[in-house]
Amino acid sequence: MFFRKKNKLRKKEDESLLQCLETVKHRVNQQEILMNNSIDYHNSVDYRAKAEKAKYLFLLKEARVRKSRAGK
């Protein structure tokens, strides 16, 4: 009885985490494409790319710890 709400909340948060993970992954890919297509890019682009990649790795690690899976 008490665990139903907990499971619903966990499932909702897992879905939110996976959606955020996909969004950040898309941004990382866009930054990499931008850097690969540019001849000379500004340092701020490099900093943003590193920050996005760090966010992505953090979210990926969190999803692994929570054992989140897409399509559950």
Side-chain angles (χ1 to χ4, degrees), residues 2-72:
F2 295 108
F3 296 109
R4 289 182 191 159
K5 187 172 184 178
K6 184 178 178 182
N7 287 337
K8 281 184 182 179
L9 184 61
R10 181 176 174 91
K11 186 176 180 180
K12 181 181 175 186
E13 291 301 318
D14 283 347
E15 289 173 2
S16 175
L17 175 66
L18 292 173
Q19 183 180 12
C20 189
L21 186 65
E22 286 296 319
T23 303
V24 173
K25 182 180 178 182
H26 179 70
R27 280 190 266 171
V28 167
N29 289 338
Q30 290 296 320
Q31 289 289 332
E32 287 178 359
I33 290 169
L34 179 67
M35 290 172 56
N36 289 337
N37 291 338
S38 298
I39 296 171
D40 187 28
Y41 53 87
H42 199 267
N43 288 339
S44 64
V45 174
D46 190 35
Y47 297 144
R48 266 189 260 136
K50 287 180 181 180
E52 290 296 327
K53 189 158 189 164
K55 286 180 197 176
Y56 175 71
L57 292 175
F58 173 78
L59 291 173
L60 189 61
K61 184 178 178 182
E62 184 65 24
R64 285 181 183 157
V65 167
R66 294 176 61 101
K67 298 178 182 170
S68 301
R69 299 223 183 255
K72 252 187 166 178

